[in-house]
mmCIF file of all heavy atoms in Angstrom:
data_model
loop_
_atom_site.group_PDB
_atom_site.id
_atom_site.type_symbol
_atom_site.label_atom_id
_atom_site.label_comp_id
_atom_site.label_asym_id
_atom_site.label_seq_id
_atom_site.Cartn_x
_atom_site.Cartn_y
_atom_site.Cartn_z
ATOM 1 N N GLY A 1 95.203 92.931 135.208
ATOM 2 C CA GLY A 1 94.280 93.916 135.765
ATOM 3 C C GLY A 1 94.441 95.317 135.170
ATOM 4 O O GLY A 1 93.904 96.266 135.728
ATOM 5 N N ASP A 2 95.149 95.429 134.079
ATOM 6 C CA ASP A 2 95.395 96.734 133.452
ATOM 7 C C ASP A 2 94.379 97.100 132.390
ATOM 8 O O ASP A 2 94.332 98.226 131.911
ATOM 9 C CB ASP A 2 96.785 96.792 132.841
ATOM 10 C CG ASP A 2 97.882 96.661 133.862
ATOM 11 O OD1 ASP A 2 97.680 97.076 135.018
ATOM 12 O OD2 ASP A 2 98.945 96.106 133.514
ATOM 13 N N PHE A 3 93.575 96.123 131.984
ATOM 14 C CA PHE A 3 92.592 96.346 130.895
ATOM 15 C C PHE A 3 91.316 95.643 131.298
ATOM 16 O O PHE A 3 91.351 94.479 131.719
ATOM 17 C CB PHE A 3 93.132 95.860 129.550
ATOM 18 C CG PHE A 3 92.405 96.448 128.385
ATOM 19 C CD1 PHE A 3 92.763 97.703 127.897
ATOM 20 C CD2 PHE A 3 91.369 95.776 127.769
ATOM 21 C CE1 PHE A 3 92.116 98.283 126.804
ATOM 22 C CE2 PHE A 3 90.688 96.322 126.665
ATOM 23 C CZ PHE A 3 91.066 97.564 126.219
ATOM 24 N N ARG A 4 90.194 96.286 131.142
ATOM 25 C CA ARG A 4 88.897 95.709 131.502
ATOM 26 C C ARG A 4 88.576 94.490 130.666
ATOM 27 O O ARG A 4 88.645 94.547 129.440
ATOM 28 C CB ARG A 4 87.758 96.729 131.351
ATOM 29 C CG ARG A 4 87.837 97.894 132.334
ATOM 30 C CD ARG A 4 86.692 98.819 132.034
ATOM 31 N NE ARG A 4 85.467 98.148 132.336
ATOM 32 C CZ ARG A 4 84.570 98.549 133.212
ATOM 33 N NH1 ARG A 4 84.797 99.625 133.930
ATOM 34 N NH2 ARG A 4 83.421 97.872 133.399
ATOM 35 N N GLU A 5 88.211 93.405 131.309
ATOM 36 C CA GLU A 5 87.882 92.188 130.610
ATOM 37 C C GLU A 5 86.614 92.356 129.736
ATOM 38 O O GLU A 5 86.578 91.898 128.593
ATOM 39 C CB GLU A 5 87.675 91.041 131.604
ATOM 40 C CG GLU A 5 87.430 89.693 130.933
ATOM 41 C CD GLU A 5 87.335 88.537 131.964
ATOM 42 O OE1 GLU A 5 87.131 88.824 133.175
ATOM 43 O OE2 GLU A 5 87.470 87.396 131.527
ATOM 44 N N ASP A 6 85.610 93.047 130.276
ATOM 45 C CA ASP A 6 84.399 93.251 129.515
ATOM 46 C C ASP A 6 84.659 94.103 128.242
ATOM 47 O O ASP A 6 84.102 93.841 127.172
ATOM 48 C CB ASP A 6 83.264 93.850 130.348
ATOM 49 C CG ASP A 6 83.695 95.025 131.227
ATOM 50 O OD1 ASP A 6 84.874 95.435 131.158
ATOM 51 O OD2 ASP A 6 82.853 95.532 131.988
ATOM 52 N N LEU A 7 85.547 95.080 128.345
ATOM 53 C CA LEU A 7 85.895 95.874 127.190
ATOM 54 C C LEU A 7 86.682 95.053 126.176
ATOM 55 O O LEU A 7 86.465 95.138 124.963
ATOM 56 C CB LEU A 7 86.693 97.125 127.602
ATOM 57 C CG LEU A 7 87.142 98.059 126.491
ATOM 58 C CD1 LEU A 7 85.968 98.539 125.618
ATOM 59 C CD2 LEU A 7 87.919 99.210 127.041
ATOM 60 N N PHE A 8 87.566 94.210 126.708
ATOM 61 C CA PHE A 8 88.355 93.328 125.803
ATOM 62 C C PHE A 8 87.407 92.481 124.939
ATOM 63 O O PHE A 8 87.582 92.397 123.736
ATOM 64 C CB PHE A 8 89.260 92.413 126.621
ATOM 65 C CG PHE A 8 89.923 91.325 125.821
ATOM 66 C CD1 PHE A 8 91.053 91.602 125.027
ATOM 67 C CD2 PHE A 8 89.452 90.018 125.842
ATOM 68 C CE1 PHE A 8 91.625 90.602 124.267
ATOM 69 C CE2 PHE A 8 90.021 89.035 125.104
ATOM 70 C CZ PHE A 8 91.122 89.330 124.319
ATOM 71 N N TYR A 9 86.392 91.875 125.572
ATOM 72 C CA TYR A 9 85.470 91.034 124.778
ATOM 73 C C TYR A 9 84.609 91.844 123.840
ATOM 74 O O TYR A 9 84.245 91.366 122.750
ATOM 75 C CB TYR A 9 84.628 90.174 125.696
ATOM 76 C CG TYR A 9 85.472 89.077 126.333
ATOM 77 C CD1 TYR A 9 85.707 89.010 127.699
ATOM 78 C CD2 TYR A 9 86.070 88.087 125.510
ATOM 79 C CE1 TYR A 9 86.520 88.029 128.249
ATOM 80 C CE2 TYR A 9 86.876 87.102 126.056
ATOM 81 C CZ TYR A 9 87.106 87.069 127.407
ATOM 82 O OH TYR A 9 87.886 86.102 127.951
ATOM 83 N N ARG A 10 84.276 93.099 124.196
ATOM 84 C CA ARG A 10 83.528 93.953 123.297
ATOM 85 C C ARG A 10 84.335 94.291 122.066
ATOM 86 O O ARG A 10 83.799 94.394 120.955
ATOM 87 C CB ARG A 10 83.167 95.282 124.007
ATOM 88 C CG ARG A 10 81.909 95.249 124.750
ATOM 89 C CD ARG A 10 80.783 95.280 123.778
ATOM 90 N NE ARG A 10 79.552 95.136 124.522
ATOM 91 C CZ ARG A 10 78.400 94.820 123.972
ATOM 92 N NH1 ARG A 10 78.321 94.630 122.683
ATOM 93 N NH2 ARG A 10 77.354 94.694 124.722
ATOM 94 N N LEU A 11 85.636 94.483 122.241
ATOM 95 C CA LEU A 11 86.489 94.853 121.139
ATOM 96 C C LEU A 11 86.943 93.644 120.303
ATOM 97 O O LEU A 11 87.337 93.822 119.134
ATOM 98 C CB LEU A 11 87.745 95.595 121.632
ATOM 99 C CG LEU A 11 87.514 96.963 122.254
ATOM 100 C CD1 LEU A 11 88.770 97.447 122.935
ATOM 101 C CD2 LEU A 11 87.054 97.933 121.202
ATOM 102 N N SER A 12 86.906 92.466 120.865
ATOM 103 C CA SER A 12 87.479 91.283 120.214
ATOM 104 C C SER A 12 86.442 90.536 119.348
ATOM 105 O O SER A 12 86.468 89.303 119.323
ATOM 106 C CB SER A 12 88.044 90.334 121.266
ATOM 107 O OG SER A 12 89.125 90.944 121.879
ATOM 108 N N VAL A 13 85.631 91.232 118.622
ATOM 109 C CA VAL A 13 84.622 90.597 117.772
ATOM 110 C C VAL A 13 85.340 89.876 116.601
ATOM 111 O O VAL A 13 85.038 88.726 116.318
ATOM 112 C CB VAL A 13 83.637 91.619 117.244
ATOM 113 C CG1 VAL A 13 82.672 90.991 116.227
ATOM 114 C CG2 VAL A 13 82.846 92.246 118.406
ATOM 115 N N MET A 14 86.280 90.551 115.957
ATOM 116 C CA MET A 14 87.011 89.962 114.857
ATOM 117 C C MET A 14 88.458 90.359 114.976
ATOM 118 O O MET A 14 88.933 91.308 114.320
ATOM 119 C CB MET A 14 86.433 90.501 113.534
ATOM 120 C CG MET A 14 87.133 89.983 112.299
ATOM 121 S SD MET A 14 87.155 88.217 112.055
ATOM 122 C CE MET A 14 85.458 87.933 111.612
ATOM 123 N N PRO A 15 89.219 89.679 115.853
ATOM 124 C CA PRO A 15 90.628 90.060 116.004
ATOM 125 C C PRO A 15 91.468 89.675 114.805
ATOM 126 O O PRO A 15 91.306 88.607 114.220
ATOM 127 C CB PRO A 15 91.067 89.303 117.259
ATOM 128 C CG PRO A 15 90.119 88.151 117.367
ATOM 129 C CD PRO A 15 88.814 88.596 116.720
ATOM 130 N N LEU A 16 92.369 90.557 114.440
ATOM 131 C CA LEU A 16 93.335 90.332 113.370
ATOM 132 C C LEU A 16 94.726 90.589 113.963
ATOM 133 O O LEU A 16 94.932 91.583 114.608
ATOM 134 C CB LEU A 16 93.095 91.291 112.222
ATOM 135 C CG LEU A 16 91.759 91.252 111.547
ATOM 136 C CD1 LEU A 16 91.618 92.365 110.526
ATOM 137 C CD2 LEU A 16 91.547 89.905 110.862
ATOM 138 N N PHE A 17 95.613 89.639 113.760
ATOM 139 C CA PHE A 17 96.958 89.792 114.301
ATOM 140 C C PHE A 17 97.900 90.002 113.137
ATOM 141 O O PHE A 17 98.067 89.164 112.264
ATOM 142 C CB PHE A 17 97.341 88.546 115.101
ATOM 143 C CG PHE A 17 96.455 88.312 116.283
ATOM 144 C CD1 PHE A 17 95.385 87.425 116.181
ATOM 145 C CD2 PHE A 17 96.617 89.063 117.466
ATOM 146 C CE1 PHE A 17 94.516 87.253 117.257
ATOM 147 C CE2 PHE A 17 95.741 88.850 118.520
ATOM 148 C CZ PHE A 17 94.693 87.974 118.430
ATOM 149 N N LEU A 18 98.498 91.193 113.123
ATOM 150 C CA LEU A 18 99.450 91.546 112.067
ATOM 151 C C LEU A 18 100.839 91.537 112.673
ATOM 152 O O LEU A 18 101.106 92.323 113.597
ATOM 153 C CB LEU A 18 99.097 92.916 111.516
ATOM 154 C CG LEU A 18 99.881 93.398 110.325
ATOM 155 C CD1 LEU A 18 99.659 92.480 109.127
ATOM 156 C CD2 LEU A 18 99.446 94.806 109.940
ATOM 157 N N PRO A 19 101.714 90.698 112.176
ATOM 158 C CA PRO A 19 103.044 90.653 112.761
ATOM 159 C C PRO A 19 103.797 91.973 112.447
ATOM 160 O O PRO A 19 103.481 92.634 111.505
ATOM 161 C CB PRO A 19 103.738 89.471 112.063
ATOM 162 C CG PRO A 19 102.838 89.059 110.978
ATOM 163 C CD PRO A 19 101.529 89.723 111.134
ATOM 164 N N PRO A 20 104.778 92.284 113.301
ATOM 165 C CA PRO A 20 105.540 93.524 113.063
ATOM 166 C C PRO A 20 106.292 93.444 111.713
ATOM 167 O O PRO A 20 106.549 92.359 111.179
ATOM 168 C CB PRO A 20 106.522 93.568 114.242
ATOM 169 C CG PRO A 20 106.553 92.196 114.827
ATOM 170 C CD PRO A 20 105.274 91.525 114.441
ATOM 171 N N LEU A 21 106.663 94.599 111.234
ATOM 172 C CA LEU A 21 107.288 94.697 109.915
ATOM 173 C C LEU A 21 108.602 93.866 109.859
ATOM 174 O O LEU A 21 108.886 93.266 108.861
ATOM 175 C CB LEU A 21 107.605 96.166 109.606
ATOM 176 C CG LEU A 21 108.046 96.526 108.221
ATOM 177 C CD1 LEU A 21 107.036 96.083 107.169
ATOM 178 C CD2 LEU A 21 108.261 98.022 108.111
ATOM 179 N N ARG A 22 109.301 93.795 110.943
ATOM 180 C CA ARG A 22 110.568 93.002 110.961
ATOM 181 C C ARG A 22 110.346 91.540 110.716
ATOM 182 O O ARG A 22 111.260 90.811 110.333
ATOM 183 C CB ARG A 22 111.314 93.235 112.278
ATOM 184 C CG ARG A 22 110.654 92.621 113.499
ATOM 185 C CD ARG A 22 111.436 92.895 114.776
ATOM 186 N NE ARG A 22 110.584 92.720 115.930
ATOM 187 C CZ ARG A 22 109.780 93.652 116.454
ATOM 188 N NH1 ARG A 22 109.744 94.845 115.930
ATOM 189 N NH2 ARG A 22 109.038 93.385 117.494
ATOM 190 N N GLU A 23 109.108 91.060 110.912
ATOM 191 C CA GLU A 23 108.773 89.666 110.588
ATOM 192 C C GLU A 23 108.125 89.520 109.196
ATOM 193 O O GLU A 23 107.771 88.413 108.819
ATOM 194 C CB GLU A 23 107.822 89.124 111.647
ATOM 195 C CG GLU A 23 108.434 89.031 113.024
ATOM 196 C CD GLU A 23 107.473 88.576 114.119
ATOM 197 O OE1 GLU A 23 106.388 88.063 113.766
ATOM 198 O OE2 GLU A 23 107.783 88.782 115.305
ATOM 199 N N ARG A 24 108.009 90.618 108.489
ATOM 200 C CA ARG A 24 107.420 90.609 107.136
ATOM 201 C C ARG A 24 108.282 91.389 106.183
ATOM 202 O O ARG A 24 107.820 92.210 105.424
ATOM 203 C CB ARG A 24 106.000 91.267 107.164
ATOM 204 C CG ARG A 24 105.055 90.616 108.101
ATOM 205 C CD ARG A 24 103.701 91.338 108.132
ATOM 206 N NE ARG A 24 103.774 92.631 108.784
ATOM 207 C CZ ARG A 24 103.478 93.789 108.194
ATOM 208 N NH1 ARG A 24 103.081 93.853 106.962
ATOM 209 N NH2 ARG A 24 103.573 94.917 108.886
ATOM 210 N N LEU A 25 109.585 91.129 106.194
ATOM 211 C CA LEU A 25 110.517 91.906 105.380
ATOM 212 C C LEU A 25 110.185 91.856 103.879
ATOM 213 O O LEU A 25 110.465 92.768 103.152
ATOM 214 C CB LEU A 25 111.955 91.419 105.634
ATOM 215 C CG LEU A 25 112.458 91.623 107.064
ATOM 216 C CD1 LEU A 25 113.877 91.088 107.224
ATOM 217 C CD2 LEU A 25 112.402 93.092 107.470
ATOM 218 N N GLU A 26 109.546 90.785 103.472
ATOM 219 C CA GLU A 26 109.162 90.642 102.056
ATOM 220 C C GLU A 26 108.095 91.686 101.669
ATOM 221 O O GLU A 26 107.893 91.966 100.494
ATOM 222 C CB GLU A 26 108.668 89.230 101.733
ATOM 223 C CG GLU A 26 107.353 88.857 102.367
ATOM 224 C CD GLU A 26 107.452 88.385 103.837
ATOM 225 O OE1 GLU A 26 108.561 88.372 104.411
ATOM 226 O OE2 GLU A 26 106.398 88.051 104.428
ATOM 227 N N ASP A 27 107.416 92.272 102.652
ATOM 228 C CA ASP A 27 106.403 93.285 102.405
ATOM 229 C C ASP A 27 106.993 94.678 102.217
ATOM 230 O O ASP A 27 106.294 95.605 101.764
ATOM 231 C CB ASP A 27 105.381 93.338 103.536
ATOM 232 C CG ASP A 27 104.484 92.090 103.569
ATOM 233 O OD1 ASP A 27 104.499 91.316 102.608
ATOM 234 O OD2 ASP A 27 103.776 91.929 104.592
ATOM 235 N N ILE A 28 108.232 94.869 102.601
ATOM 236 C CA ILE A 28 108.820 96.208 102.599
ATOM 237 C C ILE A 28 108.761 96.880 101.231
ATOM 238 O O ILE A 28 108.371 98.036 101.176
ATOM 239 C CB ILE A 28 110.262 96.182 103.191
ATOM 240 C CG1 ILE A 28 110.126 96.000 104.707
ATOM 241 C CG2 ILE A 28 111.009 97.459 102.867
ATOM 242 C CD1 ILE A 28 111.402 95.924 105.456
ATOM 243 N N PRO A 29 109.120 96.230 100.126
ATOM 244 C CA PRO A 29 109.042 96.959 98.870
ATOM 245 C C PRO A 29 107.644 97.489 98.545
ATOM 246 O O PRO A 29 107.502 98.644 98.135
ATOM 247 C CB PRO A 29 109.483 95.916 97.821
ATOM 248 C CG PRO A 29 110.348 94.965 98.592
ATOM 249 C CD PRO A 29 109.726 94.929 99.966
ATOM 250 N N GLU A 30 106.630 96.686 98.748
ATOM 251 C CA GLU A 30 105.267 97.116 98.423
ATOM 252 C C GLU A 30 104.823 98.213 99.393
ATOM 253 O O GLU A 30 104.223 99.217 98.960
ATOM 254 C CB GLU A 30 104.311 95.927 98.506
ATOM 255 C CG GLU A 30 102.931 96.280 98.018
ATOM 256 C CD GLU A 30 102.010 95.069 97.942
ATOM 257 O OE1 GLU A 30 102.494 93.915 98.035
ATOM 258 O OE2 GLU A 30 100.831 95.273 97.846
ATOM 259 N N VAL A 31 105.098 98.068 100.670
ATOM 260 C CA VAL A 31 104.712 99.073 101.647
ATOM 261 C C VAL A 31 105.472 100.357 101.383
ATOM 262 O O VAL A 31 104.886 101.454 101.404
ATOM 263 C CB VAL A 31 104.976 98.588 103.081
ATOM 264 C CG1 VAL A 31 104.733 99.683 104.119
ATOM 265 C CG2 VAL A 31 104.086 97.390 103.436
ATOM 266 N N ALA A 32 106.762 100.258 101.074
ATOM 267 C CA ALA A 32 107.576 101.437 100.770
ATOM 268 C C ALA A 32 107.034 102.198 99.579
ATOM 269 O O ALA A 32 106.910 103.442 99.568
ATOM 270 C CB ALA A 32 109.022 101.038 100.546
ATOM 271 N N ARG A 33 106.702 101.468 98.523
ATOM 272 C CA ARG A 33 106.139 102.139 97.322
ATOM 273 C C ARG A 33 104.804 102.798 97.604
ATOM 274 O O ARG A 33 104.499 103.882 97.094
ATOM 275 C CB ARG A 33 106.057 101.128 96.173
ATOM 276 C CG ARG A 33 107.412 100.771 95.599
ATOM 277 C CD ARG A 33 107.295 99.898 94.364
ATOM 278 N NE ARG A 33 108.646 99.565 93.886
ATOM 279 C CZ ARG A 33 109.197 98.390 94.066
ATOM 280 N NH1 ARG A 33 108.565 97.419 94.705
ATOM 281 N NH2 ARG A 33 110.434 98.165 93.600
ATOM 282 N N LEU A 34 103.984 102.144 98.375
ATOM 283 C CA LEU A 34 102.686 102.747 98.766
ATOM 284 C C LEU A 34 102.909 104.033 99.558
ATOM 285 O O LEU A 34 102.288 105.044 99.295
ATOM 286 C CB LEU A 34 101.867 101.728 99.576
ATOM 287 C CG LEU A 34 100.527 102.233 100.100
ATOM 288 C CD1 LEU A 34 99.522 102.319 98.950
ATOM 289 C CD2 LEU A 34 99.988 101.345 101.178
ATOM 290 N N LEU A 35 103.827 103.961 100.527
ATOM 291 C CA LEU A 35 104.099 105.153 101.345
ATOM 292 C C LEU A 35 104.726 106.267 100.494
ATOM 293 O O LEU A 35 104.384 107.436 100.689
ATOM 294 C CB LEU A 35 105.043 104.789 102.504
ATOM 295 C CG LEU A 35 104.411 103.886 103.588
ATOM 296 C CD1 LEU A 35 105.491 103.402 104.565
ATOM 297 C CD2 LEU A 35 103.295 104.604 104.292
ATOM 298 N N LEU A 36 105.578 105.901 99.560
ATOM 299 C CA LEU A 36 106.194 106.917 98.728
ATOM 300 C C LEU A 36 105.158 107.593 97.795
ATOM 301 O O LEU A 36 105.262 108.786 97.507
ATOM 302 C CB LEU A 36 107.339 106.345 97.879
ATOM 303 C CG LEU A 36 108.653 106.148 98.633
ATOM 304 C CD1 LEU A 36 109.684 105.443 97.760
ATOM 305 C CD2 LEU A 36 109.194 107.457 99.132
ATOM 306 N N ALA A 37 104.190 106.843 97.350
ATOM 307 C CA ALA A 37 103.097 107.447 96.561
ATOM 308 C C ALA A 37 102.369 108.482 97.369
ATOM 309 O O ALA A 37 102.034 109.579 96.909
ATOM 310 C CB ALA A 37 102.155 106.352 96.029
ATOM 311 N N LYS A 38 102.100 108.128 98.639
ATOM 312 C CA LYS A 38 101.391 109.049 99.558
ATOM 313 C C LYS A 38 102.246 110.273 99.810
ATOM 314 O O LYS A 38 101.755 111.445 99.739
ATOM 315 C CB LYS A 38 101.081 108.314 100.860
ATOM 316 C CG LYS A 38 100.465 109.156 101.936
ATOM 317 C CD LYS A 38 100.277 108.318 103.201
ATOM 318 C CE LYS A 38 100.087 109.181 104.403
ATOM 319 N NZ LYS A 38 100.126 108.406 105.659
ATOM 320 N N ILE A 39 103.520 110.094 100.113
ATOM 321 C CA ILE A 39 104.416 111.185 100.390
ATOM 322 C C ILE A 39 104.606 112.049 99.137
ATOM 323 O O ILE A 39 104.574 113.278 99.216
ATOM 324 C CB ILE A 39 105.798 110.661 100.898
ATOM 325 C CG1 ILE A 39 105.652 109.975 102.245
ATOM 326 C CG2 ILE A 39 106.827 111.771 100.966
ATOM 327 C CD1 ILE A 39 106.816 109.108 102.675
ATOM 328 N N GLY A 40 104.738 111.410 97.995
ATOM 329 C CA GLY A 40 104.864 112.128 96.723
ATOM 330 C C GLY A 40 103.658 112.988 96.427
ATOM 331 O O GLY A 40 103.775 114.106 95.907
ATOM 332 N N GLN A 41 102.496 112.495 96.728
ATOM 333 C CA GLN A 41 101.263 113.248 96.531
ATOM 334 C C GLN A 41 101.270 114.518 97.413
ATOM 335 O O GLN A 41 100.921 115.575 96.948
ATOM 336 C CB GLN A 41 100.049 112.397 96.831
ATOM 337 C CG GLN A 41 98.760 113.035 96.486
ATOM 338 C CD GLN A 41 97.575 112.091 96.671
ATOM 339 O OE1 GLN A 41 97.638 111.103 97.416
ATOM 340 N NE2 GLN A 41 96.507 112.369 95.976
ATOM 341 N N THR A 42 101.718 114.336 98.632
ATOM 342 C CA THR A 42 101.820 115.482 99.532
ATOM 343 C C THR A 42 102.834 116.512 99.011
ATOM 344 O O THR A 42 102.597 117.717 99.086
ATOM 345 C CB THR A 42 102.223 115.028 100.962
ATOM 346 O OG1 THR A 42 101.219 114.095 101.423
ATOM 347 C CG2 THR A 42 102.315 116.183 101.915
ATOM 348 N N GLN A 43 103.929 116.010 98.486
ATOM 349 C CA GLN A 43 104.975 116.887 97.976
ATOM 350 C C GLN A 43 104.720 117.405 96.569
ATOM 351 O O GLN A 43 105.429 118.250 96.068
ATOM 352 C CB GLN A 43 106.373 116.179 97.994
ATOM 353 C CG GLN A 43 106.875 115.917 99.368
ATOM 354 C CD GLN A 43 108.285 115.314 99.372
ATOM 355 O OE1 GLN A 43 108.880 115.052 98.316
ATOM 356 N NE2 GLN A 43 108.847 115.132 100.544
ATOM 357 N N GLY A 44 103.733 116.843 95.908
ATOM 358 C CA GLY A 44 103.408 117.257 94.557
ATOM 359 C C GLY A 44 104.367 116.777 93.506
ATOM 360 O O GLY A 44 104.592 117.460 92.491
ATOM 361 N N ARG A 45 104.965 115.613 93.719
ATOM 362 C CA ARG A 45 105.891 115.033 92.713
ATOM 363 C C ARG A 45 105.876 113.510 92.860
ATOM 364 O O ARG A 45 105.467 112.975 93.858
ATOM 365 C CB ARG A 45 107.296 115.555 92.916
ATOM 366 C CG ARG A 45 107.932 115.237 94.270
ATOM 367 C CD ARG A 45 109.258 115.933 94.397
ATOM 368 N NE ARG A 45 109.902 115.590 95.662
ATOM 369 C CZ ARG A 45 111.187 115.591 95.830
ATOM 370 N NH1 ARG A 45 112.015 115.922 94.857
ATOM 371 N NH2 ARG A 45 111.695 115.252 97.013
ATOM 372 N N LYS A 46 106.280 112.863 91.777
ATOM 373 C CA LYS A 46 106.283 111.422 91.769
ATOM 374 C C LYS A 46 107.669 110.944 92.247
ATOM 375 O O LYS A 46 108.695 111.260 91.615
ATOM 376 C CB LYS A 46 106.001 110.856 90.357
ATOM 377 C CG LYS A 46 105.895 109.379 90.305
ATOM 378 C CD LYS A 46 105.462 108.891 88.962
ATOM 379 C CE LYS A 46 105.493 107.383 89.037
ATOM 380 N NZ LYS A 46 104.633 106.697 88.181
#
């Protein structure tokens, strides 16, 4: 009773379930490099 059922169905048109990072440890290198590129851009260095 904490979330409206009608809103749930409105939002659930195409649900995607992404497991937490701890269950996708093999993704860490790629995600880390992507994040470092973003951070590096902000800092103005590679």
Side-chain angles (χ1 to χ4, degrees):
D2 297 329
F3 199 83
R4 293 180 64 120
E5 185 175 18
D6 46 2
L7 179 57
F8 171 78
Y9 288 115
R10 273 284 175 197
L11 292 170
S12 295
V13 174
M14 179 59 73
L16 301 172
F17 299 97
L18 186 62
L21 192 56
R22 69 182 160 274
E23 294 176 16
R24 301 177 291 119
L25 297 178
E26 68 279 1
D27 290 347
I28 287 179
E30 187 174 347
V31 173
R33 287 187 182 102
L34 178 74
L35 291 171
L36 282 176
K38 176 183 161 189
I39 294 164
Q41 187 174 23
T42 301
Q43 291 185 357
R45 61 186 183 153
K46 185 173 175 153

